[in-house]
Every structure is written in C-alpha cells, then in structure tokens.
Amino acid sequence: TIAARATGLTKTYGQGTAKVVALDAVDFEVVQGEFTAIMGPSGSGKSTLMHLLAALDTPTGGTVHIGDTDVASLKDTPLTELRRDRIGFIFQAFNLVPTLTARENIVLPLAIAGRKVDQDWFDRIVDVLGLADRLTHKPSELSGGQQQRVACARALMNRPDIVFGDEPTGNLDSTSASEVLSFLRRSVDEFGQTVVMVTHDAHAASYADRAVFLSDGRIVDEMRGASQEDL
Ligand code: ADP
Ligand code: ADP
C-alpha cells in the first residue's frame, strides 16, 4: 500500500532571474510501514519535498497524494483535518509548548481535535520512550533528548498514517539521537508506523529501510538496507 505519492512534483521560489527550482518534477512513493530517509546536501530540496508531502506547502506543479487523497483537491477544513489526523511531525527544534507539561504537550493534538486520549496507547508510547517519570515536567525542565522524545510521543498520539521528521536528531547529542532513532525504528517494526525523515546524517539514515538522495531538486540515487558506511 502506498502511504504517500508525489508525481511530477515541482516547486519554484521567486521569479525571473531570482527564480530557484527547489524541486524539479520529482516522482516519489512512500510505502506503508516503511522508514524512509531523505538525504542530500544543503539546498538540494529535502525540506521542500517533505513540506509538500506533509501538505504544509503548495507545489508549483505536480501532485501529492496521501493515501488515496489528492491533497490539492482539499479545501481548508479537510486539509486542516488531514494534517491534524493523518500526519505527525517531529521538528529539529522540538517545538513543544513551553508553558505545558510533557503530558499536556503529548496529548495536545488530541485536545485540539476534541478527541479522547487512548490511555493504553498513551501508556505504551510513554513506556517505550522512557518518559513515565517526566510527564509532569515542563520542557525547560527536560534535556534536549527528553524534549524530543516528548515530541515523538506527541507525533504518534493520534496514530497518524505518516510521521515526518525534519532533521529530528539535528539538535541532539549522539546518545539522545540514537534513542530517538531507535524509537522511530521500533515504531515501524512494532506499530507498523510509516516514517519519512529528512537528514544529512549517515548515522541517522542507517536506521531507515531506504535512503533517497536529492541533488539540485532531483532524486539522483536510492539505497535499501544501507549501513552507516554505505551512506
Ligand atoms: P534542503 O532542505 O535540502 O536544504 P530546501 O528545500 O530548504 O533544501 O531548499 C531548496 C532550494 O530552495 C534552495 O536553493 C533554497 O535556497 C531554496 N528555498 C527554500 N525555501 C525557500 C524560500 N522560502 N524562498 C526562496 N527560496 C527558497
Ligand atoms: P497553523 O498554520 O495551522 O496555525 P502552525 O504554524 O502552528 O499551523 O504549524 C505548522 C504545521 O505544523 C500545521 O499545519 C500543523 O498541522 C503542524 N503542527 C503544529 N503543531 C503540531 C502538533 N503539535 N502536532 C502535529 N502537528 C502539528
């Protein structure tokens, strides 16, 4: 099953002599239950591709499907619902709400959606992430690694179709990075989660099933089951 598909996906910024082709007619599929790393040098179009796949931005050309849904066909309300209900995000800078506790941050997407917390699911995720004794802490009382694990729990709380990570380990020391990456790997293996992660780090990408390489807005290579040394 295809969790997301980009067809002829193009994004340009600016006009005339200032025009930048960030993404150039990219065809790309994300298979359900797979962990994909998007790699490539700075400026190659990784963030642009991820933001378009996550329905956070509008392409200049081509289409994005999330499951069977053509994102461009959605009006504001169903688009908001798609982002809220079917997609989870993990950001480089954690993006937790500083005034809320870890628990409140984790359940915030559900609270916004007016949904009840599935306590078994909450307990399971929190247990796997080793956050049980941190739930009443505010982000400022947590280490960077703990904050990103809270963000991981938040991203999975509504059981999204796809979790997108934008350099999720970019601000972490190597131990914390490994904890986050192990969790993402485990979410794929144990919960069947689909994960797409932008990274320029070979260690991070080695946790993925597949690495896709971008250069100048095009996919130039793809590898499966690559080790850190291959990447
Ligand atoms: P990466 O994530 O691989 O670093 P990006 O997708 O951020 O690459 O950027 C791809 C290209 O698009 C770069 O040349 C970048 O400068 C340009 N770009 C990205 N966002 C914007 C923007 N909002 N306005 C103008 N140019 C942009
Ligand atoms: P909006 O433009 O809807 O106010 P924001 O600028 O707050 O959204 O966030 C940008 C995107 O990140 C939004 O489309 C939203 O879906 C997503 N997002 C923000 N916070 C969360 C969260 N806690 N969990 C999941 N997705 C989030």
Side-chain angles (χ1 to χ4, degrees):
T1 315
I2 303 300
R5 172 184 280 131
T7 309
L9 198 62
T10 299
K11 180 73 177 180
T12 60
Y13 296 105
Q15 288 177 5
T17 51
K19 182 165 146 177
V20 174
V21 182
L23 219 54
D24 190 1
V26 164
D27 297 322
F28 179 67
E29 280 181 359
V30 178
V31 174
Q32 201 180 311
E34 212 167 62
F35 187 171
T36 302
I38 301 175
M39 301 189 75
S42 181
S44 58
K46 303 184 296 296
S47 296
T48 300
L49 176 58
M50 200 198 74
H51 282 93
L52 292 174
L53 286 172
L56 295 175
D57 200 359
T58 314
T60 314
T63 57
V64 171
H65 284 78
I66 304 288
D68 294 332
T69 309
D70 179 353
V71 171
S73 73
L74 299 178
K75 302 219 185 307
D76 285 356
T77 302
L79 185 59
T80 301
E81 287 167 357
L82 176 134
R83 288 179 186 139
R84 189 188 71 198
D85 300 339
R86 297 178 59 188
I87 289 172
F89 296 99
I90 305 166
F91 302 95
Q92 181 168 2
F94 320 140
N95 293 19
L96 301 178
V97 179
T99 52
L100 300 181
T101 65
R103 178 194 296 281
E104 290 163 344
N105 269 286
I106 292 169
V107 301
L108 188 61
L110 292 170
I112 290 170
R115 295 249 179 76
K116 277 185 63 179
V117 176
D118 177 340
Q119 196 59 45
D120 288 343
W121 181 242
F122 178 94
D123 291 343
R124 187 158 172 208
I125 294 287
V126 161
D127 177 53
V128 169
L129 283 163
L131 288 170
D133 61 351
R134 290 290 177 273
L135 292 173
T136 59
H137 292 62
K138 301 242 172 85
S140 62
E141 298 159 350
L142 299 172
S143 70
Q146 289 168 345
Q147 289 183 60
Q148 194 63 310
R149 283 185 276 138
V150 170
C152 286
R154 178 182 62 183
L156 264 76
M157 209 33 51
N158 59 358
R159 298 173 178 262
D161 293 356
I162 309 180
V163 167
F164 289 98
D166 191 356
E167 300 272 10
T169 59
N171 276 336
L172 300 179
D173 62 75
S174 62
T175 305
S176 299
S178 296
E179 286 168 1
V180 164
L181 293 161
S182 298
F183 173 73
L184 292 175
R185 184 68 250 167
R186 221 175 138 181
S187 78
V188 172
D189 293 338
E190 289 183 26
F191 312 142
Q193 183 63 56
T194 307
V195 178
V196 177
M197 170 180 73
V198 165
T199 185
H200 58 251
D201 175 25
H203 171 249
S206 70
Y207 286 75
D209 298 304
R210 170 173 83 134
V212 168
F213 296 85
L214 282 179
S215 176
D216 289 333
R218 293 168 184 262
I219 293 178
V220 293
D221 200 3
E222 181 169 337
M223 269 189 197
R224 290 199 161 268
S227 71
Q228 194 174 336
E229 289 69 36
D230 300 327
L231 290 162

